[in-house]
Every structure is written in C-alpha cells, then in structure tokens.
Amino acid sequence: MYSVYLIIVLGMLSAFGPFVIDMYLPAMPEMTRVFSTSVSSVQLGLTFCMVGLAVGQVIFGPLSDKYGRKPVLYFSLLLYIAATLFCCLSQDIDTFNFARLLQGLGGAGAIVYSRSAPTDLYSGKELAKIIAIVGAVNGIAPVAAPVIGGSVADLIGWRGIFYILLGIGVVITALVIPVKETLPKEAREQGSFWRSFEGFALVCKVPNFAVFTTVFGLGMGALFA
C-alpha cells in the first residue's frame, strides 16, 4: 500500500510543473485588462516560470543528492506556496512576473523529486514501470491544465486560479509528510556541491543522452507551439 501511495504522490509531483505553467493561460486576456498592460508583458509570466523551472532543476538536483530528497522538497514546496500567494496578491505586472519566477523555482523541486526518488528505490523493469507511470501523468497534465483553467476562469477570475494552485501546493505538501526519505546519508554526495556540474558535462557527452534529450525537447516544443 505504501508503494501505491508513493506512486500517487510521485504522479502528483510530476504534474506540478505543467499545472504551474499552463493552468492560468485562459485568463491571460483578463490579466491584460486588469494590469492595464500589453499581451507580451503578461506572456512574460509564462517565460519567467519556465526559466524558474529549468534553473531550479539544475540547482535542486545536486542539492538533493547532497542533503537528501525530503529537505530539498520541503524547501521547494514552501517556496512555491509563498510565491503563489505572492502571485495572488500582485498589484502590477512586474511584481507578478517576479513571483512567477519564484513559483517556477519552487515547482522545480517537485519535478526533481518525482524523477530522483524512483531511482533511489527501484531498478530494472520495476524502475522503468514507475518512470512510465510518472511520464504518462506528465504527458496528460499539460493538456489538462489549460482545460481546467479555462473551465474556472470565468467563474473565479485569474486570482482564483492562483488560489487553486496555492491550495494544490498545500495539499501536496501535506501528502508528502508521510513519505519516507529515499536517499540514505551514506549514499549522498560527499563532495562539493559544484562537483555535480562536472557530472552534467560528462552526461552531455554521452551520445544516446543527447539524442533522447533532443527528441524529448522537440516533443515538448511541438506541444508548446
């Protein structure tokens, strides 16, 4: 039963990023009017969030290798909750876009955990099965998020959508509490935090990694286009 619970939590954490990015998209025209700004300025909120998600994964991945999965996950979730509340209370577009950057950074920790925890616990076919389940959720979420956002945008407005995202963050944080640490102290990175970046360089030289990453990137690019 614990394994089933863990898979459910991992699926929810995996869907975190797409929901953070996409759920408010149908409310963009309303936000343009509310903030009395241009469409491109509102769209910057999308860009800032994606930058936060990308940079956050590069930072939180090595940190979780060094200090454990759960402490880093807790920090990122609390950062997400604070940033989302900041989004809800924003009175101008610049403040909102900065909050979106922080929101992306916070959401990145959830994505890191959903990828790293299974590799701590499983291997072989079992790991492939878990990654496939998490990947399936991650594939559905970018499509479902704008649909859900569009359904509620007219009822509760753009701030309401962010209050829903805030509630999702609080619920997921509560669900994470019973989850056990997956990376024991003896398995953690003992060297400097910066040594992890040497690992990034080595991985990028692996031909299959570059090919698979390119294919994945093109697939996500088509979705966003």
Side-chain angles (χ1 to χ4, degrees), residues 131-171:
I131 293 296
I133 294 171
V134 173
V137 174
N138 200 40
I140 295 170
V143 180
V147 175
I148 295 171
S151 300
V152 300
D154 291 336
L155 297 175
I156 58 179
W158 76 270
R159 292 187 196 274
I161 291 174
F162 279 91
Y163 279 119
I164 290 176
L165 288 172
L166 177 64
I168 291 173
V170 171
V171 169

mmCIF file of all heavy atoms in Angstrom, residues 131-171:
data_model
loop_
_atom_site.group_PDB
_atom_site.id
_atom_site.type_symbol
_atom_site.label_atom_id
_atom_site.label_comp_id
_atom_site.label_asym_id
_atom_site.label_seq_id
_atom_site.Cartn_x
_atom_site.Cartn_y
_atom_site.Cartn_z
ATOM 1 N N ILE A 131 8.739 4.925 -13.889
ATOM 2 C CA ILE A 131 9.037 6.097 -14.722
ATOM 3 C C ILE A 131 7.980 6.257 -15.811
ATOM 4 O O ILE A 131 7.583 7.374 -16.162
ATOM 5 C CB ILE A 131 10.441 5.988 -15.335
ATOM 6 C CG1 ILE A 131 11.511 6.076 -14.243
ATOM 7 C CG2 ILE A 131 10.670 7.071 -16.379
ATOM 8 C CD1 ILE A 131 11.567 7.391 -13.509
ATOM 9 N N ALA A 132 7.493 5.141 -16.354
ATOM 10 C CA ALA A 132 6.456 5.194 -17.388
ATOM 11 C C ALA A 132 5.158 5.764 -16.839
ATOM 12 O O ALA A 132 4.484 6.563 -17.504
ATOM 13 C CB ALA A 132 6.217 3.797 -17.960
ATOM 14 N N ILE A 133 4.800 5.362 -15.620
ATOM 15 C CA ILE A 133 3.575 5.878 -14.993
ATOM 16 C C ILE A 133 3.700 7.369 -14.744
ATOM 17 O O ILE A 133 2.801 8.156 -15.077
ATOM 18 C CB ILE A 133 3.295 5.126 -13.670
ATOM 19 C CG1 ILE A 133 2.959 3.664 -13.945
ATOM 20 C CG2 ILE A 133 2.149 5.793 -12.908
ATOM 21 C CD1 ILE A 133 2.874 2.803 -12.697
ATOM 22 N N VAL A 134 4.837 7.772 -14.167
ATOM 23 C CA VAL A 134 5.074 9.191 -13.904
ATOM 24 C C VAL A 134 5.093 9.979 -15.215
ATOM 25 O O VAL A 134 4.544 11.080 -15.317
ATOM 26 C CB VAL A 134 6.400 9.379 -13.130
ATOM 27 C CG1 VAL A 134 6.744 10.854 -13.000
ATOM 28 C CG2 VAL A 134 6.297 8.749 -11.744
ATOM 29 N N GLY A 135 5.717 9.416 -16.245
ATOM 30 C CA GLY A 135 5.784 10.075 -17.540
ATOM 31 C C GLY A 135 4.415 10.238 -18.180
ATOM 32 O O GLY A 135 4.146 11.248 -18.839
ATOM 33 N N ALA A 136 3.550 9.237 -17.989
ATOM 34 C CA ALA A 136 2.193 9.324 -18.546
ATOM 35 C C ALA A 136 1.420 10.475 -17.912
ATOM 36 O O ALA A 136 0.727 11.236 -18.605
ATOM 37 C CB ALA A 136 1.458 8.007 -18.324
ATOM 38 N N VAL A 137 1.545 10.605 -16.590
ATOM 39 C CA VAL A 137 0.895 11.721 -15.893
ATOM 40 C C VAL A 137 1.449 13.045 -16.387
ATOM 41 O O VAL A 137 0.717 14.003 -16.640
ATOM 42 C CB VAL A 137 1.092 11.593 -14.363
ATOM 43 C CG1 VAL A 137 0.547 12.822 -13.645
ATOM 44 C CG2 VAL A 137 0.417 10.337 -13.845
ATOM 45 N N ASN A 138 2.760 13.076 -16.569
ATOM 46 C CA ASN A 138 3.418 14.292 -17.031
ATOM 47 C C ASN A 138 3.003 14.653 -18.455
ATOM 48 O O ASN A 138 3.053 15.817 -18.853
ATOM 49 C CB ASN A 138 4.936 14.108 -16.969
ATOM 50 C CG ASN A 138 5.684 15.422 -16.962
ATOM 51 O OD1 ASN A 138 5.270 16.380 -16.326
ATOM 52 N ND2 ASN A 138 6.789 15.477 -17.674
ATOM 53 N N GLY A 139 2.591 13.657 -19.234
ATOM 54 C CA GLY A 139 2.133 13.923 -20.589
ATOM 55 C C GLY A 139 0.701 14.426 -20.642
ATOM 56 O O GLY A 139 0.344 15.235 -21.510
ATOM 57 N N ILE A 140 -0.116 13.962 -19.717
ATOM 58 C CA ILE A 140 -1.529 14.367 -19.677
ATOM 59 C C ILE A 140 -1.683 15.765 -19.075
ATOM 60 O O ILE A 140 -2.520 16.558 -19.524
ATOM 61 C CB ILE A 140 -2.350 13.339 -18.867
ATOM 62 C CG1 ILE A 140 -2.343 11.981 -19.579
ATOM 63 C CG2 ILE A 140 -3.782 13.822 -18.649
ATOM 64 C CD1 ILE A 140 -2.912 10.856 -18.741
ATOM 65 N N ALA A 141 -0.884 16.076 -18.074
ATOM 66 C CA ALA A 141 -1.043 17.318 -17.323
ATOM 67 C C ALA A 141 -0.995 18.582 -18.180
ATOM 68 O O ALA A 141 -1.816 19.487 -17.988
ATOM 69 C CB ALA A 141 0.004 17.385 -16.204
ATOM 70 N N PRO A 142 -0.044 18.711 -19.145
ATOM 71 C CA PRO A 142 -0.017 19.951 -19.935
ATOM 72 C C PRO A 142 -1.273 20.178 -20.760
ATOM 73 O O PRO A 142 -1.593 21.320 -21.111
ATOM 74 C CB PRO A 142 1.206 19.753 -20.855
ATOM 75 C CG PRO A 142 2.040 18.738 -20.176
ATOM 76 C CD PRO A 142 1.086 17.829 -19.481
ATOM 77 N N VAL A 143 -1.970 19.090 -21.105
ATOM 78 C CA VAL A 143 -3.217 19.212 -21.866
ATOM 79 C C VAL A 143 -4.382 19.511 -20.927
ATOM 80 O O VAL A 143 -5.267 20.314 -21.245
ATOM 81 C CB VAL A 143 -3.477 17.912 -22.656
ATOM 82 C CG1 VAL A 143 -4.782 18.024 -23.447
ATOM 83 C CG2 VAL A 143 -2.314 17.612 -23.591
ATOM 84 N N ALA A 144 -4.376 18.853 -19.763
ATOM 85 C CA ALA A 144 -5.494 19.003 -18.827
ATOM 86 C C ALA A 144 -5.499 20.360 -18.137
ATOM 87 O O ALA A 144 -6.572 20.934 -17.891
ATOM 88 C CB ALA A 144 -5.432 17.887 -17.775
ATOM 89 N N ALA A 145 -4.314 20.895 -17.828
ATOM 90 C CA ALA A 145 -4.228 22.133 -17.044
ATOM 91 C C ALA A 145 -4.948 23.316 -17.689
ATOM 92 O O ALA A 145 -5.755 23.990 -17.025
ATOM 93 C CB ALA A 145 -2.767 22.479 -16.760
ATOM 94 N N PRO A 146 -4.728 23.615 -18.987
ATOM 95 C CA PRO A 146 -5.445 24.758 -19.579
ATOM 96 C C PRO A 146 -6.949 24.532 -19.661
ATOM 97 O O PRO A 146 -7.731 25.481 -19.554
ATOM 98 C CB PRO A 146 -4.836 24.880 -20.991
ATOM 99 C CG PRO A 146 -3.568 24.133 -20.940
ATOM 100 C CD PRO A 146 -3.762 23.048 -19.933
ATOM 101 N N VAL A 147 -7.354 23.277 -19.858
ATOM 102 C CA VAL A 147 -8.787 22.960 -19.924
ATOM 103 C C VAL A 147 -9.445 23.246 -18.579
ATOM 104 O O VAL A 147 -10.516 23.864 -18.500
ATOM 105 C CB VAL A 147 -9.003 21.483 -20.326
ATOM 106 C CG1 VAL A 147 -10.487 21.133 -20.271
ATOM 107 C CG2 VAL A 147 -8.442 21.228 -21.722
ATOM 108 N N ILE A 148 -8.791 22.796 -17.506
ATOM 109 C CA ILE A 148 -9.318 23.057 -16.160
ATOM 110 C C ILE A 148 -9.314 24.553 -15.876
ATOM 111 O O ILE A 148 -10.284 25.110 -15.352
ATOM 112 C CB ILE A 148 -8.483 22.296 -15.106
ATOM 113 C CG1 ILE A 148 -8.637 20.789 -15.305
ATOM 114 C CG2 ILE A 148 -8.906 22.689 -13.693
ATOM 115 C CD1 ILE A 148 -7.693 19.962 -14.450
ATOM 116 N N GLY A 149 -8.199 25.212 -16.237
ATOM 117 C CA GLY A 149 -8.114 26.661 -16.026
ATOM 118 C C GLY A 149 -9.193 27.408 -16.785
ATOM 119 O O GLY A 149 -9.798 28.354 -16.271
ATOM 120 N N GLY A 150 -9.452 26.992 -18.036
ATOM 121 C CA GLY A 150 -10.495 27.642 -18.825
ATOM 122 C C GLY A 150 -11.883 27.436 -18.250
ATOM 123 O O GLY A 150 -12.751 28.316 -18.352
ATOM 124 N N SER A 151 -12.096 26.279 -17.620
ATOM 125 C CA SER A 151 -13.410 25.980 -17.048
ATOM 126 C C SER A 151 -13.733 26.861 -15.845
ATOM 127 O O SER A 151 -14.898 27.170 -15.594
ATOM 128 C CB SER A 151 -13.469 24.498 -16.623
ATOM 129 O OG SER A 151 -13.257 23.658 -17.726
ATOM 130 N N VAL A 152 -12.690 27.260 -15.104
ATOM 131 C CA VAL A 152 -12.931 28.026 -13.878
ATOM 132 C C VAL A 152 -12.610 29.514 -14.026
ATOM 133 O O VAL A 152 -12.959 30.310 -13.150
ATOM 134 C CB VAL A 152 -12.126 27.448 -12.692
ATOM 135 C CG1 VAL A 152 -12.512 26.008 -12.438
ATOM 136 C CG2 VAL A 152 -10.624 27.548 -12.955
ATOM 137 N N ALA A 153 -11.956 29.897 -15.135
ATOM 138 C CA ALA A 153 -11.517 31.289 -15.284
ATOM 139 C C ALA A 153 -12.693 32.260 -15.251
ATOM 140 O O ALA A 153 -12.619 33.326 -14.612
ATOM 141 C CB ALA A 153 -10.732 31.463 -16.585
ATOM 142 N N ASP A 154 -13.770 31.919 -15.949
ATOM 143 C CA ASP A 154 -14.926 32.818 -15.993
ATOM 144 C C ASP A 154 -15.643 32.895 -14.655
ATOM 145 O O ASP A 154 -16.300 33.897 -14.344
ATOM 146 C CB ASP A 154 -15.915 32.353 -17.075
ATOM 147 C CG ASP A 154 -15.354 32.542 -18.479
ATOM 148 O OD1 ASP A 154 -14.476 33.405 -18.639
ATOM 149 O OD2 ASP A 154 -15.781 31.819 -19.392
ATOM 150 N N LEU A 155 -15.526 31.838 -13.858
ATOM 151 C CA LEU A 155 -16.236 31.793 -12.572
ATOM 152 C C LEU A 155 -15.493 32.525 -11.471
ATOM 153 O O LEU A 155 -16.118 33.244 -10.670
ATOM 154 C CB LEU A 155 -16.456 30.330 -12.156
ATOM 155 C CG LEU A 155 -17.326 29.472 -13.074
ATOM 156 C CD1 LEU A 155 -17.345 28.023 -12.590
ATOM 157 C CD2 LEU A 155 -18.757 30.023 -13.125
ATOM 158 N N ILE A 156 -14.168 32.358 -11.409
ATOM 159 C CA ILE A 156 -13.418 32.876 -10.260
ATOM 160 C C ILE A 156 -12.317 33.858 -10.655
ATOM 161 O O ILE A 156 -11.650 34.404 -9.782
ATOM 162 C CB ILE A 156 -12.810 31.717 -9.439
ATOM 163 C CG1 ILE A 156 -11.897 30.856 -10.326
ATOM 164 C CG2 ILE A 156 -13.907 30.863 -8.818
ATOM 165 C CD1 ILE A 156 -11.241 29.711 -9.580
ATOM 166 N N GLY A 157 -12.109 34.078 -11.959
ATOM 167 C CA GLY A 157 -11.103 35.037 -12.393
ATOM 168 C C GLY A 157 -9.687 34.507 -12.241
ATOM 169 O O GLY A 157 -9.451 33.414 -11.720
ATOM 170 N N TRP A 158 -8.721 35.320 -12.686
ATOM 171 C CA TRP A 158 -7.338 34.851 -12.699
ATOM 172 C C TRP A 158 -6.767 34.658 -11.296
ATOM 173 O O TRP A 158 -6.002 33.722 -11.052
ATOM 174 C CB TRP A 158 -6.460 35.802 -13.517
ATOM 175 C CG TRP A 158 -6.120 37.097 -12.828
ATOM 176 C CD1 TRP A 158 -6.815 38.249 -12.882
ATOM 177 C CD2 TRP A 158 -4.985 37.345 -11.983
ATOM 178 N NE1 TRP A 158 -6.201 39.220 -12.123
ATOM 179 C CE2 TRP A 158 -5.067 38.696 -11.567
ATOM 180 C CE3 TRP A 158 -3.910 36.575 -11.551
ATOM 181 C CZ2 TRP A 158 -4.125 39.278 -10.732
ATOM 182 C CZ3 TRP A 158 -2.965 37.154 -10.718
ATOM 183 C CH2 TRP A 158 -3.071 38.482 -10.320
ATOM 184 N N ARG A 159 -7.171 35.509 -10.355
ATOM 185 C CA ARG A 159 -6.666 35.330 -8.979
ATOM 186 C C ARG A 159 -7.196 34.024 -8.391
ATOM 187 O O ARG A 159 -6.489 33.340 -7.639
ATOM 188 C CB ARG A 159 -7.069 36.511 -8.105
ATOM 189 C CG ARG A 159 -6.382 37.822 -8.472
ATOM 190 C CD ARG A 159 -6.695 38.930 -7.463
ATOM 191 N NE ARG A 159 -6.350 40.235 -8.000
ATOM 192 C CZ ARG A 159 -5.130 40.781 -7.916
ATOM 193 N NH1 ARG A 159 -4.173 40.136 -7.310
ATOM 194 N NH2 ARG A 159 -4.898 41.980 -8.447
ATOM 195 N N GLY A 160 -8.416 33.681 -8.731
ATOM 196 C CA GLY A 160 -8.999 32.429 -8.245
ATOM 197 C C GLY A 160 -8.213 31.218 -8.716
ATOM 198 O O GLY A 160 -8.037 30.246 -7.969
ATOM 199 N N ILE A 161 -7.730 31.274 -9.963
ATOM 200 C CA ILE A 161 -6.918 30.176 -10.481
ATOM 201 C C ILE A 161 -5.649 30.015 -9.649
ATOM 202 O O ILE A 161 -5.246 28.896 -9.309
ATOM 203 C CB ILE A 161 -6.565 30.426 -11.968
ATOM 204 C CG1 ILE A 161 -7.825 30.312 -12.826
ATOM 205 C CG2 ILE A 161 -5.501 29.441 -12.445
ATOM 206 C CD1 ILE A 161 -7.621 30.669 -14.272
ATOM 207 N N PHE A 162 -5.046 31.129 -9.276
ATOM 208 C CA PHE A 162 -3.818 31.043 -8.478
ATOM 209 C C PHE A 162 -4.110 30.621 -7.038
ATOM 210 O O PHE A 162 -3.268 29.980 -6.398
ATOM 211 C CB PHE A 162 -3.050 32.360 -8.534
ATOM 212 C CG PHE A 162 -2.235 32.507 -9.781
ATOM 213 C CD1 PHE A 162 -2.765 33.105 -10.906
ATOM 214 C CD2 PHE A 162 -0.952 31.989 -9.852
ATOM 215 C CE1 PHE A 162 -2.030 33.214 -12.075
ATOM 216 C CE2 PHE A 162 -0.201 32.090 -11.009
ATOM 217 C CZ PHE A 162 -0.743 32.702 -12.130
ATOM 218 N N TYR A 163 -5.287 30.942 -6.542
ATOM 219 C CA TYR A 163 -5.658 30.413 -5.224
ATOM 220 C C TYR A 163 -5.843 28.896 -5.287
ATOM 221 O O TYR A 163 -5.526 28.177 -4.327
ATOM 222 C CB TYR A 163 -6.932 31.087 -4.712
ATOM 223 C CG TYR A 163 -6.673 32.439 -4.079
ATOM 224 C CD1 TYR A 163 -7.247 33.600 -4.600
ATOM 225 C CD2 TYR A 163 -5.851 32.556 -2.964
ATOM 226 C CE1 TYR A 163 -7.003 34.849 -4.032
ATOM 227 C CE2 TYR A 163 -5.597 33.802 -2.387
ATOM 228 C CZ TYR A 163 -6.182 34.941 -2.923
ATOM 229 O OH TYR A 163 -5.926 36.171 -2.360
ATOM 230 N N ILE A 164 -6.345 28.393 -6.421
ATOM 231 C CA ILE A 164 -6.444 26.943 -6.599
ATOM 232 C C ILE A 164 -5.051 26.322 -6.634
ATOM 233 O O ILE A 164 -4.798 25.293 -6.003
ATOM 234 C CB ILE A 164 -7.222 26.606 -7.888
ATOM 235 C CG1 ILE A 164 -8.694 26.968 -7.735
ATOM 236 C CG2 ILE A 164 -7.075 25.114 -8.231
ATOM 237 C CD1 ILE A 164 -9.518 26.763 -8.997
ATOM 238 N N LEU A 165 -4.128 26.965 -7.374
ATOM 239 C CA LEU A 165 -2.743 26.484 -7.411
ATOM 240 C C LEU A 165 -2.107 26.518 -6.023
ATOM 241 O O LEU A 165 -1.329 25.629 -5.661
ATOM 242 C CB LEU A 165 -1.922 27.329 -8.384
ATOM 243 C CG LEU A 165 -2.216 27.129 -9.870
ATOM 244 C CD1 LEU A 165 -1.482 28.173 -10.705
ATOM 245 C CD2 LEU A 165 -1.821 25.733 -10.315
ATOM 246 N N LEU A 166 -2.463 27.531 -5.239
ATOM 247 C CA LEU A 166 -1.977 27.613 -3.862
ATOM 248 C C LEU A 166 -2.507 26.432 -3.048
ATOM 249 O O LEU A 166 -1.753 25.784 -2.303
ATOM 250 C CB LEU A 166 -2.430 28.933 -3.233
ATOM 251 C CG LEU A 166 -2.074 29.158 -1.765
ATOM 252 C CD1 LEU A 166 -0.569 29.223 -1.566
ATOM 253 C CD2 LEU A 166 -2.717 30.461 -1.264
ATOM 254 N N GLY A 167 -3.786 26.134 -3.200
ATOM 255 C CA GLY A 167 -4.384 25.002 -2.497
ATOM 256 C C GLY A 167 -3.750 23.681 -2.892
ATOM 257 O O GLY A 167 -3.511 22.808 -2.044
ATOM 258 N N ILE A 168 -3.456 23.532 -4.188
ATOM 259 C CA ILE A 168 -2.788 22.312 -4.660
ATOM 260 C C ILE A 168 -1.433 22.164 -3.978
ATOM 261 O O ILE A 168 -1.051 21.069 -3.545
ATOM 262 C CB ILE A 168 -2.626 22.348 -6.192
ATOM 263 C CG1 ILE A 168 -3.992 22.219 -6.878
ATOM 264 C CG2 ILE A 168 -1.702 21.227 -6.670
ATOM 265 C CD1 ILE A 168 -3.960 22.412 -8.380
ATOM 266 N N GLY A 169 -0.692 23.270 -3.865
ATOM 267 C CA GLY A 169 0.610 23.223 -3.202
ATOM 268 C C GLY A 169 0.505 22.805 -1.747
ATOM 269 O O GLY A 169 1.310 21.996 -1.263
ATOM 270 N N VAL A 170 -0.499 23.330 -1.046
ATOM 271 C CA VAL A 170 -0.689 22.985 0.369
ATOM 272 C C VAL A 170 -1.058 21.503 0.510
ATOM 273 O O VAL A 170 -0.517 20.797 1.381
ATOM 274 C CB VAL A 170 -1.784 23.870 0.994
ATOM 275 C CG1 VAL A 170 -2.137 23.382 2.391
ATOM 276 C CG2 VAL A 170 -1.334 25.330 1.029
ATOM 277 N N VAL A 171 -1.949 21.020 -0.364
ATOM 278 C CA VAL A 171 -2.374 19.612 -0.298
ATOM 279 C C VAL A 171 -1.196 18.681 -0.575
ATOM 280 O O VAL A 171 -0.991 17.688 0.146
ATOM 281 C CB VAL A 171 -3.519 19.352 -1.309
ATOM 282 C CG1 VAL A 171 -3.781 17.851 -1.453
ATOM 283 C CG2 VAL A 171 -4.786 20.061 -0.871
#
